[in-house]
Each structure stands twice: as C-alpha cells, then as structure tokens.
Amino acid sequence: MKPRDWISASVVGHALLLLCTLGVIWGAIGLNLRGEYLLTVQNANERTANLAQTFEETISRSADVMDNAVRFSRESYLRDRDHFDIGRWMRDQAVLMTLAAQLAITDASGTVVTTSVTGAAPANLADREHFRVHATANAPDRLFISKPMMGRLTHRLTVQFSRRISNPDGSFAGVAIASFDPLVLGSFQRASQIAGGFTMLIGFDGVIRAAEPDTARIGEVFRQTDIIEEFKGSGVVTLPDHNVTVLNDSAIIDYRKVPGYDLFVAAGFPR
C-alpha cells in the first residue's frame, strides 16, 4: 500500500470511529432525555392522580354532609312543624357551617317556612327547579343537586341539595334544602398546599358546579361529552376504578366519579 493510500485509509478509519463514538454518545443522551421525560410524565401523572383522588374524597364527604343535613332537617320538621328551628340546629354543626350557605324548608306552595338565614325576607321558591322536580305527583324520594344559582335568601352563588317532604299519606308537603357554597373549594386547595393545580366539580348534565382557581367557569357547560357518557355508564369504554387520565398539549387531567352521586371531579396541572 502506498503511503498516501495508507494515510487516506487511516483518516477514513478515524472518521468512522469518531462517527461511531458520536453515535453512541448521542444515543446515550437520547436515552437519558427519554428516561427523564418519561419520569417527569410519570411524576406528573402521579401528582395529578393524587390531587384528583383527594378532591374526589373531599367532595364525597361534603356531599354526604349536605345530604344528611337535608334528611335530618326534613325529619325534624315533620316531627314538629310549628317549632323546628333550623337555624339553631345548623349553628351546632361545625362542618356543615363551613360547607352550607343556608338550610331551608318550604311548604307545598313553595313558601319558605323556616331558614337558617337570619332576618331573611319572605320568599317563595315554587319557580325554582330544585322545588319543581319534587312537586310532581308520585315524585320519588331522591336527592336533587341543582345547577349553580343565585340564592333568593342568601344572595350568594350556591348549589342546592334538596329532597321531597311527604305527608303520611304520601302527598306533597314541601322541600328540604341545603345550599352548598362552591367557593369553599378554594379553602380545600389552600389546605392541600397544592401549587398550580386546578379542580372542577361537574354534574352528569355537564354543568360545572364548582371550579378553582378559575371560579368564572362555575355554571359553564363542560364540553367533553364523551367523558360524561362514560361516567354515566353509556360509553363503550370501561373505566377502571371509575377514573380516567387525559394527557394533552395543555394539561394532564384526571377525572373521577363521585360514588353515589351524579357528579364527577376533574383535577390537573398545566403542562
């Protein structure tokens, strides 16, 4: 081999060796970055799932408190319609006081006969949905959770938890109501010390009942109807443990059904 050919072969050999070395380095860097990305996504998924689970448990306990208050006030009213002081009873319920803006009882005409709101003006709720759903003949004893509305007695944005009151003969006697304050969710996020996260409480009708920190979304319609249908049980996808995680360009969001209620929660973090 001529010296010039030997030098050329040597240069080519070194060049190939350099390229191979660089390829190995680049491959290692790529694998490392890929591993870091997957770890970051996994951590984000876990953080989102933890937030959603904690929020769902909080909502479940809160809904139980509200429904129990409705049931108890209804039973107490039926035992002594003329003397039941709903305000006095509510003031002794520490947890309920943090969740509810008021408790109230209406008669069959929709007139409020007792309320926890001190000095409330006379009011009639016969035009409100949470009264009308219970007033129909043979309406079942079921919990109704209204869309967010401005309270006629509290003058605050509230979500009504209500049940039918029936006379001994089954005829309609009125409605028992507990008004949930959706802004209480802000204290949940502050107590959880969750930075940058967001939460929503959504009904099966698609209406957002509560949202933090973007409270302006309360009352809006949740547009992802496929998720609503899955939680209602009519979708083709079976959700393990009643939850689903969605990863998109803007956020990682975990959705969870609130057991026993026509509600689900959404919780997540921006990407």
Side-chain angles (χ1 to χ4, degrees), residues 55 122 161 164 214:
F55 184 53
F161 285 63
R164 175 188 172 102
D214 188 7

Short mmCIF file of all heavy atoms in Angstrom, two decimals, residues 55 122 161 164 214:
data_model
loop_
_atom_site.label_atom_id
_atom_site.label_comp_id
_atom_site.label_asym_id
_atom_site.label_seq_id
_atom_site.Cartn_x
_atom_site.Cartn_y
_atom_site.Cartn_z
N PHE A 55 -59.38 15.22 46.05
CA PHE A 55 -60.51 16.11 45.78
C PHE A 55 -61.81 15.33 45.72
O PHE A 55 -62.84 15.75 46.28
CB PHE A 55 -60.27 16.86 44.47
CG PHE A 55 -61.32 17.87 44.14
CD1 PHE A 55 -61.68 18.85 45.04
CD2 PHE A 55 -61.94 17.85 42.90
CE1 PHE A 55 -62.66 19.78 44.73
CE2 PHE A 55 -62.92 18.78 42.58
CZ PHE A 55 -63.27 19.74 43.50
N PRO A 122 -89.52 37.25 53.45
CA PRO A 122 -90.37 36.16 52.95
C PRO A 122 -90.01 35.83 51.50
O PRO A 122 -89.71 36.72 50.70
CB PRO A 122 -91.79 36.74 53.06
CG PRO A 122 -91.69 37.79 54.13
CD PRO A 122 -90.32 38.38 53.98
N PHE A 161 -78.91 21.31 47.34
CA PHE A 161 -79.15 19.90 47.61
C PHE A 161 -80.57 19.83 48.19
O PHE A 161 -80.84 20.45 49.22
CB PHE A 161 -78.15 19.35 48.62
CG PHE A 161 -76.78 19.10 48.07
CD1 PHE A 161 -76.00 20.14 47.57
CD2 PHE A 161 -76.24 17.81 48.06
CE1 PHE A 161 -74.73 19.91 47.07
CE2 PHE A 161 -74.97 17.57 47.56
CZ PHE A 161 -74.21 18.62 47.05
N ARG A 164 -87.63 15.83 48.61
CA ARG A 164 -89.08 15.98 48.78
C ARG A 164 -89.48 15.70 50.23
O ARG A 164 -88.91 14.81 50.89
CB ARG A 164 -89.80 15.01 47.85
CG ARG A 164 -91.32 14.96 48.01
CD ARG A 164 -91.89 13.81 47.18
NE ARG A 164 -93.32 13.61 47.44
CZ ARG A 164 -94.30 14.01 46.65
NH1 ARG A 164 -94.00 14.65 45.53
NH2 ARG A 164 -95.57 13.76 46.93
N ASP A 214 -60.16 28.97 38.79
CA ASP A 214 -60.93 29.74 37.80
C ASP A 214 -62.41 29.67 38.13
O ASP A 214 -63.19 28.95 37.48
CB ASP A 214 -60.64 29.19 36.40
CG ASP A 214 -61.25 30.06 35.30
OD1 ASP A 214 -61.76 31.14 35.64
OD2 ASP A 214 -61.19 29.65 34.13
#
